[in-house]
Amino acid sequence: TGQAIMIHTDYKAYFGSDQGKAPVFRKINISDVICRHAGQAVRLSGLPEQPIEDLLLERVTLVADEGLSCAGVKNLQLTDLVVVPTAVP
C-alpha cells in the first residue's frame, strides 16, 4: 500500500517548461482525515530551491507501517496528528 498523505514535488518536470521555474506549493491545509491501512503515514518531499511552504496537518489519525518522512518543507504545523505504527522494528 502507499502513503496516506503524500505531497511530492521533486519530479523535475518543470525543466521542460517554457519558464524553467519550479512549481510553488504553499498554504495547504489538510484536516479531519482518518486512514486505517497505509504503507506510510505521511511523505512530504519538496525541492531545495522551492520547498513546500505553510503546510498544516490538523486532526489527522493514521495507522501505517511507517511514520512521517519530511524533506524540503518550510513552516510545517502538526496539530492533533496521531500516527499509529503497525510494523514491528
Side-chain angles (χ1 to χ4, degrees):
T1 57
Q3 295 85 10
I5 297 173
M6 179 177 76
I7 302 175
H8 170 74
T9 68
D10 58 348
Y11 48 83
K12 303 291 185 189
Y14 65 89
F15 284 130
S17 74
D18 58 348
Q19 296 180 348
K21 294 181 181 178
V24 176
F25 289 78
R26 68 174 159 227
K27 297 183 182 177
I28 301 169
N29 297 333
I30 299 173
S31 61
D32 300 311
V33 175
I34 297 174
C35 177
R36 292 188 175 91
H37 303 286
Q40 183 177 25
V42 180
R43 178 176 180 235
L44 306 173
S45 180
L47 295 166
E49 65 272 22
Q50 186 60 64
I52 299 165
E53 296 182 40
D54 304 318
L55 175 61
L56 168 65
L57 298 179
E58 181 176 35
R59 295 183 306 275
V60 174
T61 300
L62 308 169
V63 179
D65 295 337
E66 298 177 21
L68 183 146
S69 67
C70 180
V73 179
K74 182 178 175 183
N75 298 326
L76 173 62
Q77 183 179 349
L78 305 174
T79 303
D80 295 325
L81 173 69
V82 177
V83 176
V84 179
T86 57
V88 177

